Amino acid sequence: MTLKNKVGRALMRRTGNGCPSGRRVMEGHEMKNRHSRFVRATLLATAFIPAAVWAQDTQTPPAGPNATAEGPSSSADEADIIVTGTSVARAAFDTPLAVQALDEGTLARTQAAGNADILNTIPTIKADGGGGEVAANVFVRGLPSGGQYQFTPLMYDGIPVLSTFGLNSSAFDVYYRNDLGIERLEFVRGGVSNLFGPGSVAGLINFISKHGTEDFGGVAQIEVAERDRVRGDLAVSGPIGPNTFYSLSGYYRYDEGTLRTNLKTKGYQLRGNLRHEWSDGSGHVTLYGQWIDDQVQFFLPVPLNGTTRKRAPGNDGRRVNSVQNRFDSSLLGFNTPDGLFTSDINQGVKTRGGQIAIAFEKQFDGDWGINGRAKYSKYDHKFGLWSDGDGVINVPETLQSFVANRPALIGQTPSFTFVGGGTVPSGSLLFANRFTDRDRDADDFTAELNLTKKLTTGSVDHTFTLGGFYGNADAEDVNVTTTYLAEFNNRPRLVNLVVTNPTTGAQTVISRNGLLNAGAGYVNNRHQAERYAAYFADQMEGERVVFDIGGRVEHFSGDIRRERTATFVTDTTTPNLATALRDVIWGNGLFTTGKVSTTEWAVAAGFLYKATPELNFYINGSRGFFFPEIRSVTFNAAFQPQSFEAEIIKQVEFGAKYNNGPIELSGAFFYTKLDNRRQVLFVNDGAGGFTERVNLVSTRSYGLEFTANVELVRNLRFAGNITLQDAEYTAFDTTPAFIGKELERQPGLLYNAGLYYDDGALDASIFTNHTGDNFTAANNAIKLEAWNVVNLDAGYKFDLGGERKVRVGVNVFNLLNEDAVTEGSPRQDINQAAGGAYFVGRPVLPRRITARVTFNF
């Protein structure tokens, strides 16, 4: 029985006093709320239907906010057209925004595993991919974050994967994957880009899909990599009727793992879209769909050598790359008030579900237009989180030190044995660790509708936009933490421990079947968020100037339900059990509930001056906001939620863009100020469990950013970018001594640089991503040294006639096998120490060679 079902069954049996409690009561509230939300959502969705079927003559089709470009081309010209966060499609060169666009060729070169590999190539973004394919920790320049996508909505075709972050801590990329059906990526920030859709001053990450054309075509790819990775991809598109086109893509992948853990990565995703274009050229309507059934490994920090911070040897003398293993979950099961709990940790990060969406654009006579989109998604999601220590000692221990470090065991005679038989050798190292079963089902509805009007006043062309956005997200956060004892090795064996009192001869079972602490932590939360936004913008273009201005008002409301906990005695029959095996922290059936809400406004402007045909100057500024993560809301002694105020961000950027064909350059200065940030950190509670610590902070940052794309000789170009920043805390409520400290995990220097050759048959590229020195925590006590990850990609194309081509290629991630540490132990946070025998950190994933055969037809 799954964790969710176990908890659900228990709550149906239990009722409490005071706050609403019991699953039936809880479900009653939810059904009522969901019904009202469904009614509102349906009314909004029906607003799209008549607009989607209107067809009138017009001159040109519109390009609505976050709209996609026509056709599946990835040419340089089309890739330069930016349609994210604007009402009209523009060339990147002519927009007063900071813009990065990556075509499908660049995406193929850079994506060794997941989104982190891609996002790391974008200036201002630091993305930690040491955890594997999913749950990338995305950091945007000068903004304090615990990771994931806290400041940057992840969108596909202008549609957010989830409308609200912070209902739990799962990253957006656990719900959605890239495949060969992606045409390009756009990342924009500044100007009015933060007003449309879900909105974000920090930037919008938008992957844009291919759409079908009059010609049938596609691409198939097989990928084989070291350590038993096989992946197959297919993307096809074409016509299915007059003015109606389809595009389908998907993958299946099996992977034993970059790091050997006995855990498997396997699964598939299917995506597609169906587009109908009005015969008069006045617009189109597109239906999107996605289905995913996938599970992946996730790697967390491990004990490293305390001096060199390189991988440390285990008991067998081999370097320890991971402390995970496919344990027999029945051995680590334990009794609860609801019956036997059995972990699903071996399933890794598992997602099953999908989304369906509709998007349309329609232009009318008189230069009026309407466009919009609506989406519903539902996912069953589990996140098996392997931790980086037991929350008490956190580093490997000898048998003797394991006893000496625990006061209750001092003076006892220990007996360490392996589960399955055999005595643990006296010189062995042990590592007590935890894992957390996290059930995080989520569903989400979003809708956006825009009315546009084009007109000309004098020599200035205006595009006015009046629009609205609605989002309704609901997510579970059910966590059970288990502590176990194992040897310090790759794919370790579990260890039993029994101690004997030398005076009385009484025995106590400390670890049974490797289980050290049954139910070390328990969380049963449900958070729901509803967002209403209205915005306006005027995007003006003259012969030499571009000027954008607009504003947004948004109301946010949230419902919170959190079960309280108690300690239960669940095993009174097994003799000699330690308290940690006999007692379990579990839900008591009483719920703390609350509602929060707030309303905020944003205003943004951008100006661009065309000095010459090759040189533009721009400036943009904004006053925006982020809503606090609902999981950060605290309650007072009377179980009332504390204040819920928006986090205000102000920023300005000015720079220049130069483009004369073979040379493209840009440079900019930026300044960012964030106030009232509720920083949420998932940290140890000091007793072997976890807590979500909330710090109220303010920050400021400023810096420089440069990009270059230069054709050196025919078929060979250099491309790169660099970000220099200074970011520090200006307020820190829990620890004022941190004011003036640098932001953790935010380097002062980031750069990418590469050489790219392509003569139509042979292509080769070598590029590096540099991450500068950065601190592990806000106290700036531990610095991580800078590192470079060098990647190589090369291939040769065989022309089979017509549109048919085969490319045989090789990709090498981390060519020089860099072993740098990307993060310390976030769960230890400011309590992590340096200078000991071990340092807990997460290294860069090791070198991996991948061979690919790609067939275009």
Side-chain angles (χ1 to χ4, degrees):
M1 186 177 294
T2 66
L3 168 61
K4 180 176 61 178
N5 288 339
K6 293 168 188 169
V7 174
R9 184 180 67 176
L11 295 180
M12 289 180 66
R13 292 202 307 263
R14 297 204 305 266
T15 58
N17 300 315
C19 294
S21 59
R23 176 61 71 179
R24 287 179 180 153
V25 175
M26 189 173 177
E27 286 184 343
H29 285 287
E30 289 172 359
M31 290 179 64
K32 183 177 179 181
N33 288 339
R34 284 184 173 180
H35 175 73
S36 63
R37 294 198 299 268
F38 177 78
V39 171
R40 291 195 296 269
T42 302
L43 292 174
L44 280 168
T46 56
F48 288 85
I49 296 174
V53 299
W54 290 338
Q56 299 182 18
D57 293 336
T58 187
Q59 291 96 12
T60 57
N66 309 319
T68 58
E70 298 292 333
S73 171
S74 62
S75 68
D77 289 341
E78 286 197 313
D80 197 40
I81 299 298
I82 303 304
V83 294
T84 298
T86 179
S87 286
V88 290
R90 285 173 169 165
F93 185 64
D94 293 327
T95 184
L97 307 173
V99 171
Q100 283 76 42
L102 306 179
D103 63 16
E104 61 177 313
T106 303
L107 296 177
R109 283 193 300 269
T110 56
Q111 183 172 319
N115 276 344
D117 303 319
I118 297 171
L119 298 178
N120 258 330
T121 68
I122 295 176
T124 79
I125 287 183
K126 170 181 176 277
D128 288 344
E133 290 190 19
V134 299
N137 286 322
V138 179
F139 300 89
V140 180
R141 64 186 188 194
L143 297 178
S145 171
Q148 293 88 38
Y149 293 76
Q150 293 183 348
F151 294 104
T152 49
L154 178 62
M155 302 190 298
Y156 285 80
D157 301 299
I159 300 166
V161 172
L162 287 181
S163 61
T164 303
F165 185 82
L167 305 182
N168 53 46
S169 62
S170 281
F172 293 143
D173 60 8
V174 302
Y175 304 104
Y176 222 107
R177 309 280 196 275
N178 294 339
D179 56 28
L180 295 181
I182 299 296
E183 177 182 294
R184 69 184 188 274
L185 164 67
E186 294 179 354
F187 177 75
V188 302
R189 64 184 186 280
V192 298
S193 67
N194 64 303
L195 304 180
F196 302 114
S200 173
V201 180
L204 302 168
I205 300 170
N206 189 21
F207 288 94
I208 296 175
S209 299
K210 299 175 182 178
H211 294 96
T213 66
E214 295 287 353
D215 300 318
F216 171 79
V219 56
Q221 179 174 279
I222 186 72
E223 174 182 294
V224 179
E226 292 180 284
R227 293 178 287 278
D228 301 308
R229 174 180 169 89
V230 178
R231 172 169 170 146
D233 275 85
L234 178 66
V236 294
S237 63
I240 60 171
N243 302 318
T244 305
F245 313 95
Y246 74 93
S247 179
L248 295 172
S249 60
Y251 72 82
Y252 178 82
R253 180 256 296 100
Y254 177 87
D255 192 351
E256 296 281 353
T258 306
L259 305 174
R260 292 292 195 184
T261 61
N262 286 331
L263 303 172
K264 303 295 187 292
T265 289
K266 59 182 179 180
Y268 68 93
Q269 177 184 258
L270 299 173
R271 298 190 317 118
N273 61 75
L274 182 65
R275 170 170 289 196
H276 178 76
E277 299 178 355
W278 310 129
S279 58
D280 58 7
S282 61
H284 54 77
V285 59
T286 307
L287 182 68
Y288 295 94
Q290 176 237 8
W291 179 261
I292 186 171
D293 189 347
D294 196 64
Q295 69 179 60
V296 297
Q297 303 174 60
F298 185 69
F299 309 112
L300 254 73
V302 295
L304 308 171
N305 182 288
T307 303
T308 65
R309 296 184 185 171
K310 302 299 182 182
R311 297 185 186 273
N315 292 322
D316 58 6
R318 297 180 179 179
R319 299 190 314 166
V320 175
N321 296 308
S322 169
V323 293
Q324 298 169 236
N325 197 9
R326 188 174 180 84
F327 296 132
D328 183 345
S329 56
S330 64
L331 295 177
L332 294 171
F334 52 86
N335 291 327
T336 77
D338 309 320
L340 180 66
F341 172 79
T342 304
S343 173
D344 293 325
I345 190 65
N346 290 334
Q347 295 184 15
V349 182
K350 186 174 177 63
T351 304
R352 189 174 191 270
Q355 76 165 224
I356 187 168
I358 187 171
F360 70 90
E361 299 177 4
K362 176 67 182 175
Q363 191 76 18
F364 304 108
D365 291 335
D367 287 326
W368 287 95
I370 190 170
N371 61 74
R373 55 197 44 80
K375 176 216 73 173
Y376 177 75
S377 61
K378 184 175 181 62
Y379 298 99
D380 294 329
H381 166 52
K382 298 177 182 179
F383 199 121
L385 181 73
W386 295 83
S387 295
D388 46 12
D390 63 352
V392 180
I393 305 301
N394 300 306
V395 295
E397 306 166 83
T398 64
L399 306 189
Q400 295 76 19
S401 62
F402 185 89
V403 173
N405 287 332
R406 290 156 179 82
L409 304 185
I410 295 176
Q412 304 286 308
T413 302
S415 173
F416 294 94
T417 57
F418 288 114
V419 174
T423 300
V424 179
S426 60
S428 297
L429 292 170
L430 303 175
F431 185 54
N433 199 10
R434 295 163 295 177
F435 54 73
T436 302
D437 288 81
R438 309 199 288 188
D439 242 312
R440 294 183 162 181
D441 294 355
D443 58 82
D444 187 50
F445 177 84
T446 64
E448 185 174 9
L449 186 64
N450 297 284
L451 182 66
T452 63
K453 169 64 176 176
K454 296 181 180 180
L455 60 85
T456 300
T457 59
S459 61
V460 178
D461 295 326
H462 297 260
T463 299
F464 295 100
T465 302
L466 178 64
F469 174 82
Y470 175 81
N472 192 315
D474 193 329
E476 295 179 350
D477 193 5
V478 183
N479 303 336
V480 174
T481 299
T482 304
T483 306
Y484 65 92
L485 183 61
E487 62 179 338
F488 185 55
N489 260 359
N490 292 301
R491 288 164 284 178
R493 291 172 290 178
L494 295 171
V495 172
N496 293 321
L497 171 59
V498 177
V499 297
T500 303
N501 187 306
T503 302
T504 65
Q507 291 187 328
T508 305
V509 179
I510 304 299
S511 170
R512 182 177 61 169
N513 292 328
L515 181 65
L516 195 59
N517 189 345
Y522 175 94
V523 170
N524 180 20
N525 296 340
R526 188 167 202 128
H527 297 135
Q528 181 266 331
E530 193 168 33
R531 303 171 58 186
Y532 300 88
Y535 49 81
F536 72 93
D538 182 8
Q539 295 169 257
M540 296 165 269
E541 297 206 28
E543 183 178 353
R544 300 286 294 272
V545 299
V546 174
F547 181 58
D548 298 344
I549 189 168
R552 177 184 179 111
V553 176
E554 181 168 354
H555 179 75
F556 180 101
S557 62
D559 288 320
I560 303 167
R561 280 185 168 80
R562 300 176 184 168
E563 188 178 11
R564 305 177 208 169
T565 62
T567 299
F568 297 87
V569 177
T570 60
D571 192 335
T572 58
T573 59
T574 304
N576 307 323
L577 285 182
T579 302
L581 296 178
R582 185 198 64 191
D583 300 347
V584 171
I585 299 173
W586 206 254
N588 64 6
L590 300 177
F591 285 83
T592 298
T593 63
K595 294 181 178 292
V596 294
S597 65
T598 190
T599 301
E600 262 301 339
W601 58 273
V603 63
F607 175 81
L608 180 136
Y609 175 68
K610 302 176 183 179
T612 72
E614 296 84 20
L615 179 63
N616 290 342
F617 295 95
Y618 74 95
I619 183 171
N620 62 67
S622 59
R623 187 269 193 196
F625 57 86
F626 299 106
F627 291 120
E629 299 176 40
I630 291 188
R631 67 192 181 106
S632 73
V633 174
T634 57
F635 287 79
N636 59 26
F639 300 109
Q640 297 299 314
Q642 304 284 55
S643 62
F644 187 78
E645 298 179 4
E647 303 157 4
I648 306 303
I649 178 171
K650 300 175 183 178
Q651 65 177 20
V652 63
E653 177 174 315
F654 62 85
K657 305 177 184 182
Y658 177 81
N659 186 346
N660 73 351
I663 301 177
E664 299 177 28
L665 304 171
S666 72
F669 169 84
F670 60 85
Y671 176 83
T672 303
K673 186 174 184 293
L674 176 62
D675 291 322
N676 201 41
R677 168 67 177 168
R678 288 177 180 260
Q679 182 190 55
V680 186
L681 302 176
F682 190 61
V683 298
N684 295 330
D685 63 7
F690 296 106
T691 185
E692 290 188 322
R693 179 186 299 158
V694 180
N695 302 314
L696 188 63
V697 303
S698 297
T699 63
R700 72 104 183 101
S701 67
Y702 60 86
L704 298 170
E705 182 179 287
F706 301 95
T707 68
N709 190 340
V710 180
E711 185 178 359
L712 302 176
V713 296
R714 185 179 180 184
N715 301 325
L716 178 66
R717 64 186 176 90
F718 166 84
N721 57 69
I722 184 170
T723 302
L724 301 164
Q725 72 163 343
D726 183 284
E728 66 179 35
Y729 287 103
T730 57
F732 207 112
D733 69 331
T734 57
T735 315
F738 293 168
I739 296 174
K741 300 286 189 181
E742 294 185 29
L743 269 62
E744 65 269 34
R745 304 174 75 175
Q746 290 271 16
L749 172 63
L750 290 167
Y751 70 74
N752 293 275
L755 291 172
Y756 303 86
Y757 178 84
D758 190 345
D759 63 11
L762 175 66
D763 64 88
S765 57
I766 184 167
F767 48 97
T768 183
N769 169 257
H770 175 87
T771 301
D773 296 344
N774 62 99
F775 293 104
T776 63
N779 59 359
N780 290 186
I782 301 175
K783 179 185 288 188
L784 300 180
E785 300 298 327
W787 71 89
N788 284 281
V789 174
V790 179
N791 299 314
L792 172 70
D793 190 87
Y796 188 81
K797 299 184 185 71
F798 300 91
D799 193 340
L800 302 181
E803 298 296 323
R804 297 178 301 165
K805 292 185 178 181
V806 172
R807 179 184 185 270
V808 178
V810 62
N811 180 279
V812 184
F813 170 78
N814 195 3
L815 177 67
L816 304 181
N817 209 22
E818 177 69 80
D819 197 26
V821 180
T822 66
E823 68 177 19
S825 173
R827 276 139 294 283
Q828 294 185 60
D829 192 38
I830 60 175
N831 295 318
Q832 185 170 15
Y838 295 95
F839 177 81
V840 178
R842 181 160 62 180
V844 175
L845 290 176
R847 177 173 52 221
R848 199 174 208 189
I849 302 173
T850 301
R852 292 172 179 153
V853 178
T854 308
F855 176 48
N856 289 275
F857 54 92

